[in-house]
């Protein structure tokens, strides 16, 4: 049986960041994901799933050493942002108001994921179970038992999913 400090179920951009962050802290990490992200080619059309990430998120990706790869693919800075629930309830942000060149970047979620996945090979404490899927979890007082569809069994102190 494979024993880990942390098991992360789902290797999208959030799960990949969590797994990579814990691995960089020296924790043993199992990451379970059903499929590898599709590689990037400049000629591909833009993905419709995007995120507006702030400078704080960029700083996090830099600390995980994933921003350079992500930003080398396709990013678009944004300088103004407006949110609302009702027409009379709007919030507007402008980079000029806070003396910043931009508020952040619009980035395809898949490209953030790819930037993070590129770092996995550098982390000896991160084990990737892909392609595989969660079959069941039994939560325990000391550790958690995880069964994957492939038949692989894992134990982990923490499970993030």
């Amino acid at each position: 049986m494979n024993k880990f400090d942390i098991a992360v179920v789902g290797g999208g951009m959030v799960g990949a960041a969590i797994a990579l962050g814990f691995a960089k802290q020296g924790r043993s990490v199992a990451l379970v994901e059903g499929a590898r992200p599709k590689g990037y080619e400049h000629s591909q059309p833009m993905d419709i799933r995007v995120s507006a990430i702030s400078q704080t998120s960029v700083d996090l990706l830099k600390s995980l050493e994933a921003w350079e790869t992500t930003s080398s693919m396709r990013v678009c800075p944004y300088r103004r942002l407006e949110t609302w629930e009702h027409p009379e309830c709007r919030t507007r942000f402008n980079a000029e108001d806070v003396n910043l060149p931009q508020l952040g970047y619009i980035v395809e979620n898949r490209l953030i994921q790819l930037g993070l996945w590129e770092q996995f090979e550098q982390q000896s404490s991160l084990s990737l179970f892909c392609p595989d899927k969660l079959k069941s979890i039994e939560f325990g007082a000391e550790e958690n038992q995880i069964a994957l569809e492939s038949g692989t069994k894992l134990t982990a102190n923490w499970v993030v999913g």
Side-chain angles (χ1 to χ4, degrees), residues 5-154:
D5 295 324
I6 296 133
V8 179
V9 180
M13 63 181 187
V14 174
I18 290 168
L20 185 58
F22 278 129
K24 283 182 167 285
Q25 290 178 359
R27 299 180 186 269
S28 60
V29 180
L31 177 62
V32 180
E33 172 55 42
R36 287 187 172 273
K38 183 180 175 185
Y40 173 75
E41 293 178 24
H42 184 69
S43 62
Q44 292 170 331
M46 288 188 71
D47 200 3
I48 60 169
R49 296 198 65 196
V50 300
S51 293
I53 64 170
S54 68
Q55 187 60 46
T56 301
S57 295
V58 170
D59 293 344
L60 172 65
L61 291 169
K62 285 180 179 178
S63 74
L64 295 173
E65 299 178 42
W67 180 244
E68 186 175 330
T69 300
T70 301
S71 64
S72 72
M73 291 182 270
R74 210 170 19 214
V75 300
C76 177
Y78 67 91
R79 293 169 184 83
R80 293 179 301 280
L81 181 68
E82 183 173 349
T83 63
W84 64 92
E85 260 188 65
H86 301 286
E88 66 276 359
C89 184
R90 293 179 183 267
T91 303
R92 293 181 178 101
F93 302 92
N94 190 322
E96 289 178 8
D97 294 343
V98 289
N99 298 317
L100 293 173
Q102 69 270 332
L103 293 172
Y105 296 88
I106 305 293
V107 188
E108 295 162 68
N109 294 0
R110 184 178 65 82
L111 301 185
I112 294 171
Q113 180 188 23
L114 282 170
L116 292 160
W117 275 60
E118 184 175 287
Q119 295 302 310
F120 288 175
E121 293 176 13
Q122 313 304 317
Q123 302 303 314
S124 61
S125 65
L126 193 153
S127 298
L128 183 60
F129 295 86
C130 178
D132 213 338
K133 293 184 179 179
L134 177 68
K135 182 177 180 183
S136 66
I137 301 176
E138 289 183 32
F139 296 103
E142 297 289 320
E143 60 186 20
N144 306 292
Q145 306 293 321
I146 301 157
L148 304 181
E149 287 185 356
S150 66
T152 300
K153 298 202 183 299
L154 312 172

